[in-house]
Amino acid sequence: MSTLEIRDLHVSVETEAGPKEILRGVDLTVRSGETHAIMGPNGSGKSTLAYSLAGHPKYTVTSGEVLLDGDDVLAMTVDERARAGLFLAMQYPVEVPGVSVSNFLRTAKTAVDGEAPKLRTWVKDVKQAMDQLAIADDFAERDLNTGFSGGEKKRHEILQLELLNPKFAVLDETDSGLDIDALRVVSDGVNRFSAGGDKGVLLITHYTRILRYIKPDFVHVFVAGRVAEAGGSELAEKLEEKGYVDYVGTPA
Amino acid sequence: MTTANIPASTEKHASAGTAQQAQHGLTEHSHGAGAPDHGGSAFDTVASFDVADHEVPRGREEEWRFTPMARLRGLHDDAPLDGHDYEVSVDADPQVVVETVEAGDPRRGSSGYVPNDRVSARAWAEADKVLAITVPADAIVDKPTIVRLRGLSAEKAAAGHVVITAERFSQSVVVLEHEGSAAFADNVEVITHDGARLTLVTLQDWADDAVHLSHHHVSVGRDSVVKHVVVSFGGDLVRTSVTLDYSAPGGDAELLGLYFADSGQHLEKRLFVDHNQPNCRSNVLYKGALQGSKAHTVWIGNVLIRPAAEGISTYELNRNLVLTDGARADSVPNLEIETGEIEGAGHASATGRFDDEQLFYLMARGIPADEARRLVVRGFFTELINKIGVPEIAERLTATVERELALGEGLPAATTTH
């Protein structure tokens, strides 16, 4: 049983005109076994929340705290956060030429577990996870994210999620740009990850479409850098019908 | 000084001005009297044994524009090259003949090379001994022949000359290692005869104060397979110029290079592949990594396909990986094609950065910063190291790359520019 607590989080970015506050007091608690959807219009700060949790250097936390089972996440380096059990599936995974997918996966697994995975079971696990995500075998020898299609990048993020098996997954618009088949494959992967009931999922999305495949326990409407409304899955249905017009004044 | 059996100057071509132009910096005489005069090439350089034919470069010349002239210790000008502050040790299979011979030995010059710049001409004139390595015909030698030159001081500049001859159908590996402190200018001639297979590795693992200007000329024989490998790690300034041509059809040359520049180092790699015979092949792959402030690498890859070179194929690729801010990689591939009757010709050059975003991505998967850097650099060099195909060398290079990376630990990744 783990808890990820976000308390009154304020985050700003450097702009040419000086620092600009993006997150303006985010409060959110995710417990093991829960799936939270964060929905909001473009520019509401959803992705900033995701990257701030992972520790991207572009974002400056000006106040508030993030605790993982009571430990101060904001005091951790990026790699320490990952090893503590936080995983961010990125909207725009970065290309790293020269590093093969298989080498990367093995290195990451070794880093988060603190020891190298047993070769035989590891090879089998990778193969099985790739098959389930409809990823071709030759993918393992390609350079990390290099020349991947949008769908391949997203499936590869979920492959890592399943193999690294963190406590909490933050999925930053994993659904965007996917066709319906890929969306199903990716959603199935997330559902496999959380099936044991001991994982927390923070699903950030612009659209309700993915919520047909991944059922949230809680829905938070994110507007102007904070949670504007929170509720159960019925809130998603309301958004499906009316969009964000009630929150921002225009259909987003 | 120079010897009687070396011509004072190569065959000269009429040209305006004081310096004489030889076609493409190469020896027309070695290609026989029938070699066609095909007009000027962008690769024309002065080729002459006579030092006086080579003006003192000032740094504005095309060939020298990237080189920090002030750090050459006068090797390009008139600094005496009579120092002998170095030791040479040789570890060779008994089949391989390694001799130190007088400068007048007929093997010197047998590659057809004529010095194409002042440093090379000076080293040719002032080297008083020649290290001659001969792999006899039909000898199959598994054990690499290792010549280790250990410089003891960079105070007095020295000149060197090596001639490596791989006789017909021989098969061997030769490694020239350089370490310690030195100001060193040398010429290395490589001659392969019919069907010979030779891998030559030159390794510059110098101390921080060393300056090394090295000229290699490779003459590839009929159906011979040559792998020429340049590896540069240490040294304040290391500049290697490799020229290669074919003495007959059917030759196959693979030119590989690996370099890793740290703060303040200047590593310059120059290549000229002269496709002067039909049905030959060349493949160039040079890869460099840079880290730290004022680390500078230069790669100039020139390939000329002469009218006679029908049915050849050539490809050259340079890739550089900039690990931190403040480092600079220059990369200039040039391809000059004088016949369309070829199988293929191409080149590519790419300089990538290991940047903040890549670092973030890898760290977000739990990988510590230093290991992330190692992962990227190891991945970058693995293909090249495997291509060298000599296990002893591969292990050593991997270890040296790791050592270089350790020096860069704690340096921030290159800043992402959007």
Side-chain angles (χ1 to χ4, degrees):
Chain A
M1 182 68 187
S2 289
T3 309
L4 177 66
E5 289 175 85
I6 303 166
R7 291 184 188 158
D8 193 31
L9 188 66
H10 290 253
V11 171
S12 53
V13 293
E14 250 346 282
T15 69
E16 281 171 20
K20 183 185 174 198
E21 187 167 62
I22 309 283
L23 298 188
R24 300 192 278 189
V26 179
D27 287 291
L28 189 66
T29 300
V30 183
R31 295 179 181 83
S32 304
E34 296 176 354
T35 296
H36 292 245
I38 292 189
M39 306 195 56
N42 288 328
S44 59
K46 303 184 304 277
S47 286
T48 298
L49 176 62
Y51 278 96
S52 300
L53 292 175
H56 194 287
K58 185 176 153 195
Y59 302 98
T60 308
V61 175
T62 51
S63 68
E65 54 185 0
V66 178
L67 302 172
L68 176 58
D69 294 332
D71 293 334
D72 182 0
V73 170
L74 300 179
M76 300 178 192
T77 58
V78 174
D79 52 317
E80 285 168 349
R81 295 177 197 208
R83 293 199 296 273
L86 268 182
F87 179 89
L88 170 62
M90 298 190 201
Q91 190 179 353
Y92 303 111
V94 183
E95 300 192 352
V96 189
V99 178
S100 70
V101 168
S102 65
N103 191 10
F104 162 71
L105 291 174
R106 196 174 51 244
T107 306
K109 183 67 175 171
T110 303
V112 296
D113 286 3
E115 59 176 348
K118 296 225 164 28
L119 194 62
R120 270 174 60 194
T121 50
W122 174 246
V123 170
K124 213 176 76 194
D125 291 349
V126 173
K127 171 93 174 82
Q128 187 188 349
M130 284 173 57
D131 286 348
Q132 285 172 334
L133 289 163
I135 295 173
D137 289 348
D138 64 356
F139 194 83
E141 296 316 315
R142 289 171 66 184
D143 282 3
L144 185 53
N145 293 324
T146 307
F148 289 14
S149 70
E152 284 174 334
K153 282 183 178 169
K154 297 300 175 69
R155 278 182 284 161
H156 179 239
E157 292 293 289
I158 302 306
L159 175 67
Q160 295 169 52
L161 171 69
E162 291 198 68
L163 291 170
L164 300 181
N165 199 27
K167 291 177 186 162
F168 289 94
V170 180
L171 310 177
D172 185 18
E173 304 210 16
T174 298
D175 53 332
S176 64
L178 295 183
D179 64 28
I180 193 69
D181 293 331
L183 182 65
R184 279 203 193 101
V185 164
V186 162
S187 300
D188 288 348
V190 175
N191 290 330
R192 276 194 300 275
F193 165 71
S194 57
D198 59 344
K199 305 295 183 187
V201 175
L202 196 55
L203 178 70
I204 293 172
T205 179
H206 183 77
Y207 306 104
T208 53
R209 188 177 62 148
I210 193 173
L211 303 183
R212 290 176 215 155
Y213 305 99
I214 301 174
K215 293 295 175 197
D217 303 297
F218 304 93
V219 174
H220 309 267
V221 182
F222 211 71
V223 180
R226 51 184 307 176
V227 176
E229 190 176 356
S233 55
E234 75 286 348
L235 192 52
E237 284 154 30
K238 180 184 150 196
L239 290 171
E240 171 86 40
E241 273 173 41
K242 303 177 68 176
Y244 297 110
V245 65
D246 285 0
Y247 303 98
V248 296
T250 53
Chain B
M1 282 297 287
T2 192
T3 53
N5 64 327
I6 305 292
S9 175
T10 184
E11 176 183 337
K12 291 183 178 180
H13 297 255
S15 74
T18 51
Q20 302 291 325
Q21 300 286 322
Q23 296 300 321
H24 312 290
L26 290 171
T27 53
E28 291 293 333
H29 61 218
S30 70
H31 306 136
D37 191 330
H38 48 80
S41 157
F43 306 137
D44 280 349
T45 51
V46 176
S48 171
F49 291 101
D50 187 348
V51 174
D53 284 345
H54 301 274
E55 284 184 45
V56 178
R58 297 294 173 204
R60 285 194 205 89
E61 301 78 3
E62 180 57 32
E63 296 79 31
W64 294 96
R65 68 189 176 100
F66 293 106
T67 312
M69 307 303 286
R71 284 155 62 184
L72 290 176
R73 293 169 188 264
L75 295 179
H76 65 300
D77 194 343
D78 59 0
L81 299 178
D82 55 357
H84 286 90
D85 290 342
Y86 58 83
E87 302 165 347
V88 175
S89 59
V90 178
D91 180 16
D93 186 279
Q95 293 181 85
V96 178
V97 183
V98 182
E99 309 154 88
T100 301
V101 297
E102 295 304 314
D105 188 276
R107 276 169 287 195
R108 192 158 95 130
S110 61
S111 71
Y113 177 65
V114 180
N116 59 13
D117 70 22
R118 185 175 172 91
V119 179
S120 180
R122 296 192 66 227
W124 194 291
E126 299 199 30
D128 53 1
K129 298 276 191 235
V130 173
L131 184 73
I133 301 171
T134 306
V135 188
D138 298 308
I140 307 295
V141 188
D142 291 329
K143 180 184 158 182
T145 295
I146 297 174
V147 177
R148 183 173 294 127
L149 184 145
R150 181 173 181 75
L152 303 174
S153 156
E155 296 284 308
K156 286 187 195 151
H161 199 113
V162 178
V163 179
I164 300 164
T165 310
E167 295 185 350
R168 49 187 291 149
F169 303 120
S170 65
Q171 202 170 311
S172 61
V173 176
V174 176
V175 182
L176 305 177
E177 291 183 16
H178 307 83
E179 57 188 39
S181 295
F184 193 54
D186 68 342
N187 291 298
V188 175
E189 295 182 83
V190 181
I191 305 100
T192 66
H193 297 164
D194 290 13
R197 303 178 81 92
L198 172 71
T199 296
L200 171 68
V201 181
T202 175
L203 174 63
Q204 284 95 29
D205 202 2
W206 293 109
D208 289 345
D209 61 348
V211 172
H212 185 195
L213 300 181
S214 191
H215 286 76
H216 282 222
H217 181 70
V218 184
S219 170
V220 183
R222 180 181 298 272
D223 302 325
S224 169
V225 179
V226 176
K227 215 180 265 188
H228 181 276
V229 187
V230 176
V231 179
S232 298
F233 289 115
D236 174 57
L237 189 159
V238 175
R239 181 177 144 128
T240 57
S241 307
V242 179
T243 54
L244 179 141
D245 64 10
Y246 303 83
S247 59
D252 184 330
E254 188 158 28
L255 297 149
L256 304 173
L258 186 164
Y259 46 97
F260 199 135
D262 297 314
S263 243
Q265 270 189 298
H266 179 91
L267 302 180
E268 186 164 343
K269 309 284 128 202
R270 309 183 73 91
L271 288 152
F272 175 47
V273 177
D274 185 353
H275 274 286
N276 58 335
Q277 292 280 348
N279 301 315
C280 293
R281 179 185 160 274
S282 68
N283 190 39
V284 176
L285 176 62
Y286 270 58
K287 282 186 158 193
L290 302 85
Q291 65 185 8
S293 117
K294 299 205 171 117
H296 189 193
T297 65
V298 178
W299 178 84
I300 310 290
N302 294 335
V303 175
L304 172 65
I305 303 169
R306 294 184 191 253
E310 294 188 356
I312 66 103
S313 78
T314 175
Y315 191 76
E316 55 169 355
L317 173 63
N318 174 230
R319 283 196 60 199
N320 297 294
L321 180 62
V322 179
L323 292 167
T324 69
D325 282 340
R328 176 176 155 181
D330 286 293
S331 179
V332 187
N334 297 302
L335 181 58
E336 199 172 304
I337 304 178
E338 296 178 349
T339 172
E341 302 298 313
I342 58 172
E343 233 172 66
H347 62 192
S349 155
T351 295
R353 300 162 73 79
F354 177 55
D355 64 28
D356 285 342
E357 293 297 328
Q358 293 173 334
L359 183 63
F360 172 73
Y361 187 82
L362 297 171
M363 288 179 75
R365 300 303 179 244
I367 302 169
D370 291 339
E371 193 172 350
R373 199 194 307 266
R374 275 202 294 276
L375 186 67
V376 168
V377 174
R378 233 189 258 138
F380 181 72
F381 283 130
T382 296
E383 177 205 9
L384 180 77
I385 290 174
N386 290 342
K387 269 181 193 269
I388 296 171
V390 184
E392 297 92 330
I393 295 292
E395 271 172 41
R396 172 153 175 206
L397 294 189
T398 304
T400 310
V401 166
E402 301 278 321
R403 190 190 72 202
E404 290 281 335
L405 278 166
L407 293 174
E409 281 183 12
L411 292 174
T415 314
T416 311
T417 44
H418 287 293

